Structure formats: structure tokens, C-alpha cells
Amino acid sequence: MHEPSDPSHPPRELLSGYEFQTLHGLALARARARVWLEQAGMKGTVLLASEGVNFSLFGSAKQLDAWLLWLDEHLDCASPVLNRQAVTESPFQRLKVRIRPEIVTFDRSSDTDSLAPGVAVLPQDWNALIEQQDIQFVDTRNAYEVRLGTFEHARNPATDSFTDFQAWALASLDRDRPVAMFCTGGVRCEKASDWLKREGFDQVYQLHGGILSYLETVPEVDSKWRGECFVFDDRVALNHDLKPTGRTICLACRMPTEDEHDLCPDCAVKIRRDANSGLAEKVRQLRLNQSRRPAEAEAMPE
């Protein structure tokens, strides 16, 4: 039997999404979006570029629904790819609304008006696709994300930055074989699959809504996912039930730590070796700031 909901404390959610849609007047759009979100009392990150919008926001279901209406009415973004998760508290400390050259950095030469990504495969159909023998199964995320978790048998490009994916793909993938790719929420695959098709790859598939949609849709007993999923907010990493695993971000290198300490093992060793180094002083200052206010992961929604 469910407990009755408290109307004075409506359930809170995290809504992330993106849409490629040519935008104009970015400075005005940014100002209007910030005013609206501040008045709604919402926290999170919104990225605006001439190619579209990319966002991750915390609020009530009513607030988030109103945000989607605002996007449709003011930016003509009526069909964003969305991920929606129930959360108990905000994974963001503040609101950021920023203008960027791209909503996900990859290839500024791409033309949003002619964007032609690969075939979007629904999470419930993903297992059947990746089990095909001739598939080149690729994780498009960066190495530090892959280390926490990935799909069984997925290839790891071991990239430090998403822009490195292009060189890896040209050197490592066969144009004559189908490619199936995935990322956290789907936006990186939109860019990468469009680029692959322009480079002569005819059969390109991508996981619609990314890993987050897969974990939400596919029961763990049937899942091909192994490990944790890195996310770009204070939760850092999620398990198959989309619950935080307790990881933190290293204060020194900003990579996810292997435990709940605020330094990864490599940075901890460096500081022990030279307690008077610039790195050690940086960590001391960050710890002092943390004691004054909660830490915040660098929120860069995908």
C-alpha cells in the first residue's frame, strides 16, 4: 500500500534532454531562460548553441513540464530526447545557463540543418542488435567513464576527449560493417553517427536515449550493462536502478574516485610525495571551500 503523497512536498525529478534545432538570438534566449528558471526556483545546467539546446534540471514534475512548454514556445524545441529520473534531492547546487559553440563539443563544421544521424534503436531492441555477429559495438564515451561501467563486449576507444573519437574511428572501424554506438544520454551519438555517415559508414545505429534510457527500460536480469554509469552532476555514478553509488569526484584531477574519498589514489600519492606542491595547495583550498558550502560536480549535461 502506497503512502499518500504530500501536496506541500511534490515529488522531485531530474530531467535531462537535448534537441538539435537551429537557434538565433542566443544572448536574448539565454537571458530569458535564466529569468524563467530562476523564477521557477530550478537548479541545473542549460547549454545553448546555434545548433540547439542541451539541459539537465532539477525540479517538481510540474516545473519540468512547464520548462518543456517554454522550450517549445520560445525556442521552437518541441521534440527533445529526454531522460527523466526520480531523485530525493538536487544533484546541483546552483543554476547555470551558458552559450557554447556546440551543445556537445565534437565538430564545429557540422551543419545542424542537414544533421542526419544513424538509426535510433529503442532500448528494448538494443540487445538483439548488439548480439549480431558482424556488429562493431562502440562506446563513444571517454576513458574515465568507461572505467566505471560499460556494455558487455563493447569496444573502448580509450579517448580523453570526445573530439578524439574521430581519429580513433577512422583508424579502427570498418566502413563496410555496421556500427552500433552508445553514450550516456544520446547526444554524443547524434553527432558521432552523423559524422560517421559523412565519412562513408552506411550502416550506423545508436541507442535512443542512451545508457540512462536503457537502464530505466531493460530489467537487470536481461541487461547487458555491467558496472556503474558516470553522470555529469553531483551523483557522479549510478547503479542499474539509477541510484547513486556513493562515488565522489577527485578534488585534484576531477576524475571519479574509486571510493568515497575526495582524492583518487594517483593524486593522493602525488600529494603525499610533495605536501608543499601546487597540487597540494589547490586541494587545501578546495577543502576549505567545501567546508563553507557543499561541493558541486562540474555539471556538463550530455
Side-chain angles (χ1 to χ4, degrees), residues 139 141 144-151 211 215 225-231 235-240 243-248 256-259:
D139 192 331
R141 301 172 305 148
Y144 67 89
E145 300 171 78
V146 179
R147 278 197 297 269
L148 297 189
T150 189
F151 281 101
I211 300 162
L215 298 181
W225 177 262
R226 298 294 179 265
E228 305 168 38
C229 178
F230 180 86
V231 289
R235 297 172 300 167
V236 183
L238 308 178
N239 62 20
H240 205 288
K243 302 298 182 185
T245 62
R247 287 187 185 271
T248 58
T257 61
E258 296 298 323
D259 48 41

Side-chain angles (χ1 to χ4, degrees), residues 15-19 36-37 42 55 57 61-82 84:
L15 179 68
S16 58
Y18 68 89
E19 183 169 349
W36 189 92
L37 290 164
M42 297 174 70
F55 61 88
L57 293 166
K62 184 177 180 180
Q63 288 172 323
L64 296 171
D65 288 341
W67 164 250
L68 294 177
L69 289 175
W70 190 93
L71 282 178
D72 186 8
E73 293 173 2
H74 294 269
L75 300 184
D76 200 26
C77 292
S79 304
V81 176
L82 300 173
R84 203 160 188 159

Side-chain angles (χ1 to χ4, degrees), residues 19-20 32 34 54 66 73 80-81 85 88 90 103 108 118 122 144 153 159 180 280 284:
E19 183 169 349
F20 287 95
R32 287 176 172 172
R34 173 170 283 281
N54 189 7
E73 293 173 2
V81 176
Q85 303 152 45
T88 56
S90 175
I103 59 173
R108 294 191 190 183
L122 295 175
Y144 67 89
H153 309 305
T159 53
R284 279 194 289 269

